[in-house]
Amino acid sequence: MTPRSPEILPPDDAALARAAALLRAGGLVAFPTETVYGLGADATSDAAVAGIFAAKDRPQFNPLIVHFTDAEAAAREVVFDARAQQVARAFWPGPLTLVLPRRKDSRISLLCSAGLDSQAVRVPAHPLAHRLLAESGLPLAAPSANASGKISPTEAAHVAASLGPRVPLILDGGRCAVGLESTVLDLSSPQAAILRPGAVTAQDLTPIIGEVVEAPGNAESPENGGLKGPGMLSSHYAPGHPVRLNATDVAADEALLAFGPQVPAGAADSLNLSPAGDVTEAAAHLFAYLHRLDALAVQAIAVMPIPETGLGAAINDRLRRAAAPRG
Ligand code: TXA
Ligand code: MG
């Protein structure tokens, strides 16, 4: 017997009702957010959250983001100080995750904190995510809906390809508009710090809460261990093929991930993240194009240089992980 594949449902009322019921029963549902697809489960249930780790094959020490309908619901589980209120007012719902101290009376499973005394919380902007949170009546723990260490999914089909029958139901909301995971902002200590760059940047945050240090890599890289570096994984966002960065030329046996109007000739195949050189458009395409080039019979994926401006910093952060030595 072949393993069952996941059901991919259009986002109508019946699908939402089924998804909410499945979540209330402790099951897993993949759903779209404006950043990437998440693999959701009841954040208050140890068994349901453990199901996420099992489905993703995820190391237990990597903590999970919990999603809420609004800031008030999040503030019941974490200590929501004045800074948190200010950034939440400015950027929620949206692609920003806040790491805050857990409240002693929090109902969120300790598995979501993975041994830390902080909890990552987010209010997503995608209407389907919002409806699922409201209809289930649950805070939802949701990492990106891919097997651990692989490229994040920005389409329902990516989720099905990566997790297969380990996720029974996928709500199909089309392509994710942002295309890169949320900014992770640590507000659990006096110095605000960005642990993972994303669509909300330090320049966006500084006018609201003062100095924000950028510590990209802390959230997910092996070089930065310690309390704020729980996701100590040797490589991340890893395609199957080797990735060569800052390519200004390309070999005949390489696929080219291009950026901008001037593209070197000679690649086996190529996709352009943004022919106009727009980093926001490039971010939206990044993971989908990596998925497509990775499916080709080539020796490597060569990636043209991407400017560090705006979302470019977050794109380059993900590309460096994709190119990191595999451990
Ligand atoms: O856009 C997103 O954030 C997506 C959607 C589904 O919301 N989710 C996502 O989750 O990317 P995940 O699990 O793939 O990444 C969560 C990141 C990891 O880098 C993790 O280490 C960090 O957030 N994180 C979670 N809880 C943390 C905590 N308490 N302290 C420090 N970092 C934390
Ligand atoms: Mg992830």
Side-chain angles (χ1 to χ4, degrees), residues 36-37 56 58 62 143-153 181 196 220 236-237:
V36 300
Y37 276 74
K56 277 183 69 89
R58 180 175 211 169
N62 205 1
S144 50
N146 52 281
S148 189
K150 302 297 185 199
I151 305 168
S152 287
E181 304 87 344
R196 180 176 69 184
E220 299 192 354
H236 216 131
Y237 307 102

Side-chain angles (χ1 to χ4, degrees), residues 43-300:
T44 66
S45 160
D46 289 336
V49 174
I52 293 178
F53 289 109
K56 277 183 69 89
D57 234 336
R58 180 175 211 169
Q60 294 281 346
F61 46 70
N62 205 1
L64 300 176
I65 299 170
V66 178
H67 300 68
F68 298 88
T69 48
D70 51 47
E72 290 66 38
R76 284 197 283 276
E77 314 296 343
V78 289
V79 180
F80 224 72
D81 65 7
R83 290 178 307 175
Q85 282 171 25
Q86 284 158 342
V87 291
R89 217 172 290 138
F91 297 106
W92 279 358
L96 176 67
T97 293
L98 302 181
V99 174
L100 292 164
R102 274 179 72 95
R103 280 175 55 144
K104 289 208 169 52
D105 59 352
S106 172
R107 302 165 304 147
I108 302 299
S109 165
L110 283 164
L111 282 175
C112 294
S113 293
L116 303 172
D117 46 23
S118 60
Q119 177 61 60
V121 296
R122 167 158 120 83
V123 174
H126 198 293
L128 205 52
H130 187 86
R131 285 180 64 194
L132 188 63
L133 286 160
E135 180 130 353
S136 67
L138 298 168
L140 295 179
S144 50
N146 52 281
S148 189
K150 302 297 185 199
I151 305 168
S152 287
T154 55
E155 298 172 20
H158 297 157
V159 180
S162 189
L163 294 177
R166 286 178 284 174
V167 55
L169 201 157
I170 303 170
L171 284 179
D172 190 351
R175 287 197 190 129
C176 302
V178 176
L180 285 181
E181 304 87 344
S182 61
T183 303
V184 177
L185 176 66
D186 181 21
L187 292 179
S188 67
S189 48
Q191 176 60 67
I194 290 180
L195 303 181
R196 180 176 69 184
V200 176
T201 64
Q203 295 92 291
D204 297 328
L205 293 162
T206 306
I208 300 170
I209 51 166
E211 191 202 12
V212 176
V213 300
E214 294 184 73
N218 269 6
E220 299 192 354
S221 88
E223 300 84 33
N224 302 288
L227 207 66
K228 299 300 179 199
M232 295 156 71
L233 306 172
S234 53
S235 76
H236 216 131
Y237 307 102
H241 295 313
V243 174
R244 182 166 74 85
L245 300 181
N246 294 315
T248 48
D249 55 18
V250 63
D253 57 2
E254 287 181 319
L256 179 67
L257 188 61
F259 176 86
Q262 258 140 39
V263 177
D269 223 315
S270 78
L271 288 171
N272 197 326
L273 290 169
S274 172
D278 172 13
V279 287
T280 303
E281 180 187 20
H285 289 147
L286 179 68
F287 292 143
Y289 286 7
L290 280 174
H291 278 287
R292 279 167 60 182
L293 295 180
D294 203 31
L296 303 173
V298 291
Q299 288 307 306

Side-chain angles (χ1 to χ4, degrees), residues 2-31:
T2 51
R4 290 180 53 186
S5 33
E7 256 190 285
I8 302 182
L9 298 180
D12 55 22
D13 289 352
L16 267 153
R18 270 184 59 197
L22 188 51
L23 289 167
R24 282 194 298 267
L28 301 179
V29 171
F31 63 96

